[in-house]
């Protein structure tokens, strides 16, 4: 039996994905090396402990709440969250939790797998930015303007105290810059102009390049 257990443990330890098993009280019954590295300690110091002994109080309480939820509902619970790791800093993870049945039909505990999806989330963020930003000035583009405008109109229609304003701005005689100094200089002016507008905006405001030297 011990050889069988050791073989399973060795197999789990070769996986780069953190895996754990804990009882209904939240105490760890087992884990692989990747999980012990994830919480910043050795596996022997994880077994028998709870998250409250390993992670900050607010983080431990949030995970305990999701443990209780999956034990009540059964099945598999998927949670996305940000965590700060000792070696790599802030990471975004997908956490899968599932109930583990006992031989008598009761509940033995919870098994969990942590999947690092930081690179995927960063790629999604870059794709989103590319879809809604002007590549030259980094101001928002027309697509974002219509999305933000639709949201503002919906909010204003639901709440009469909610108001908003739209300012249409262009640079007078901008063609002269391109004619006299070239389009590279004109591009530099547009970038500086967009940056100047951004410094005057609140966090809830949007700076949009409508096209050419026109901004909203």
């Amino acid at each position: 039996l011990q050889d069988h257990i050791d073989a399973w443990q060795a197999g789990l330890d070769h996986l780069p994905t953190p895996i754990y098993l804990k009882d209904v009280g939240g105490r760890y019954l087992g884990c692989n090396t990747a999980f012990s590295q994830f919480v910043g300690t050795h596996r022997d110091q994880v077994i028998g402990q709870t998250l409250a002994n390993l992670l900050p109080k607010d983080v431990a309480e949030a995970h305990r709440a999701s443990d209780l939820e999956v034990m009540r509902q059964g099945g598999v619970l998927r949670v996305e969250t940000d965590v700060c790791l000792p070696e790599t800093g802030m990471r975004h993870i997908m956490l899968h939790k599932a109930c583990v049945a006992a031989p008598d039909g009761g509940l033995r505990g919870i098994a969990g797998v942590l999947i690092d999806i930081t690179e995927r989330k960063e790629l999604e963020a870059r794709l989103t930015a590319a879809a809604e930003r002007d590549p030259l000035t980094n101001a928002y583009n027309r697509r974002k303007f219509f999305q933000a405008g639709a949201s503002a109109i919906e909010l204003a229609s639901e709440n009469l105290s909610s108001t908003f304003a739209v300012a249409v701005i262009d640079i007078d005689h901008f063609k002269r810059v391109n004619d006299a100094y070239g389009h590279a200089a004109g591009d530099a002016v547009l970038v500086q102009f967009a940056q100047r507008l951004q410094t005057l905006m609140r966090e809830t405001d949007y700076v949009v390049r409508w096209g050419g030297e026109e901004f909203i």
Side-chain angles (χ1 to χ4, degrees):
L1 177 59
Q2 188 60 51
D3 288 343
H4 185 68
I5 293 174
D6 290 344
W8 272 102
Q9 185 66 58
L12 293 176
D13 286 338
H14 279 80
L15 294 174
T17 303
I19 301 172
Y20 65 85
L21 174 67
K22 52 186 171 181
D23 63 20
V24 294
R27 295 191 180 278
Y28 287 98
L29 301 174
C31 69
N32 64 351
T33 300
F35 182 82
S36 61
Q37 292 174 343
F38 171 78
V39 295
T41 187
H42 191 270
R43 181 169 59 242
D44 293 341
Q45 295 176 310
V46 174
I47 307 304
Q49 302 296 319
T50 67
L51 266 182
N53 305 123
L54 303 171
L55 296 178
K57 181 180 178 181
D58 57 336
V59 177
E61 290 178 349
H63 285 287
R64 181 57 181 165
S66 65
D67 285 351
L68 295 175
E69 181 180 351
V70 74
M71 285 190 286
R72 284 193 301 266
Q73 297 181 356
V76 178
L77 179 68
R78 296 174 179 84
V79 180
E80 287 190 28
T81 184
D82 291 320
V83 294
C84 188
L85 303 184
E87 295 183 358
T88 58
M90 192 63 67
R91 308 294 292 177
H92 198 87
I93 64 168
M94 171 72 79
L95 177 59
H96 295 250
K97 298 182 179 183
C99 293
V100 178
D104 61 2
L107 186 62
R108 172 172 287 174
I110 294 175
V113 177
L114 284 69
I115 303 173
D116 190 333
I117 57 173
T118 305
E119 283 73 21
R120 192 193 81 186
K121 299 299 288 188
E122 290 175 347
L123 176 60
E124 290 175 356
R126 289 196 298 270
L127 291 174
T128 298
E132 62 185 21
R133 293 278 184 176
D134 171 55
L136 174 64
T137 64
N138 202 40
Y140 287 112
N141 57 22
R142 291 190 184 196
R143 176 183 179 184
K144 182 66 175 181
F145 169 78
F146 287 119
Q147 290 177 345
S151 298
I153 291 171
E154 181 179 0
L155 180 62
S157 64
E158 295 174 351
N159 183 1
L160 296 180
S161 64
S162 176
T163 60
F164 66 94
V166 178
V168 181
I169 308 167
D170 68 16
I171 304 174
D172 289 344
H173 313 298
F174 180 73
K175 186 174 182 299
R176 295 180 184 176
V177 177
N178 286 330
D179 292 343
Y181 303 104
H183 288 279
D187 288 348
V189 170
L190 292 173
V191 171
Q192 289 287 335
F193 185 74
Q195 291 175 349
R196 179 63 61 86
L197 286 178
Q198 195 64 59
T199 62
L200 302 174
M201 296 296 107
R202 300 166 299 181
E203 290 186 359
T204 54
D205 295 333
Y206 295 88
V207 175
V208 177
R209 185 185 180 197
W210 189 252
E213 77 278 17
E214 297 176 332
F215 289 81
I216 291 179

